[in-house]
Amino acid sequence: MAKVISTLFISADGVAEIDPDWHFPYFDENMGRAVTEDYDAADVLLIGRVTYDSFAGAWPDREAAGGEDAPFAKQLGDMRKVVVSRQPLEFSWRNSELVSGELVDAVAALKADAGSRGILIPGSISVVQQLLAAGLVDELRLLVHPVAARRGRKLFDEGDTAYHLTVTATETFPTGVIRVIYAPTEAPAAVGYDEVKDQVS
């Protein structure tokens, strides 16, 4: 089964709707390496309409311009791009297609496709939220910036059930950014105050 990997730039207070003012000052070679590793782990991009419009409006031109970021732009162009939208779209960026049917069913099919090596979701908060609720996200790869954004859309929405996560890797960059990779896990056994009160000296 192919992994579904969510990769997000996020603030210390959980805002995943990035603002260039608090994001770019922390982007260094370490973050660039982390981003490269995330994209190298997949051959399918799963993105919402807003993210697609942003990517398609920038990366093809950067590939054509042949600058420093042209190789990465070509990598994005060569990847299969599955776009989540309720409206029909006309695609100008190669290898782009509209998600087929309902999102959860489509992603389950992508995971089971022997031709899929990995499915990466960059940004696309609403897509990630829906797939977390459906139990289809295998990894959350977060680059946590040392800033409280105080406004913007957060990664985790309101709900009745907690998402329990296990940490599979962490790394702290000189900028103060923390890279943390989570995977979903089972909830721990129920514990109350009486069971932990002796843990404080």
Side-chain angles (χ1 to χ4, degrees), residues 18-29:
I18 65 168
D19 182 334
D21 286 344
W22 61 254
H23 167 57
F24 284 119
Y26 294 101
F27 202 105
D28 66 353
E29 67 275 9

Side-chain angles (χ1 to χ4, degrees), residues 101-126:
E102 293 298 316
L103 175 62
V104 169
D105 294 337
V107 173
L110 280 173
K111 283 174 64 73
D113 185 348
S116 297
R117 181 167 54 86
I119 302 152
L120 187 69
I121 313 171
S124 306
I125 301 168
S126 63

Side-chain angles (χ1 to χ4, degrees), residues 1-57:
M1 296 284 283
K3 280 187 177 182
V4 173
I5 300 168
S6 166
T7 178
L8 290 158
F9 305 122
I10 192 167
S11 68
D13 57 343
V15 173
E17 182 182 0
I18 65 168
D19 182 334
D21 286 344
W22 61 254
H23 167 57
F24 284 119
Y26 294 101
F27 202 105
D28 66 353
E29 67 275 9
N30 298 288
M31 193 181 290
R33 170 180 50 80
V35 169
T36 298
E37 290 173 2
D38 291 347
Y39 279 84
D40 285 347
D43 55 357
V44 178
L45 285 185
L46 179 67
I47 45 182
R49 169 69 182 272
V50 173
T51 302
Y52 178 81
D53 286 346
S54 174
F55 278 29

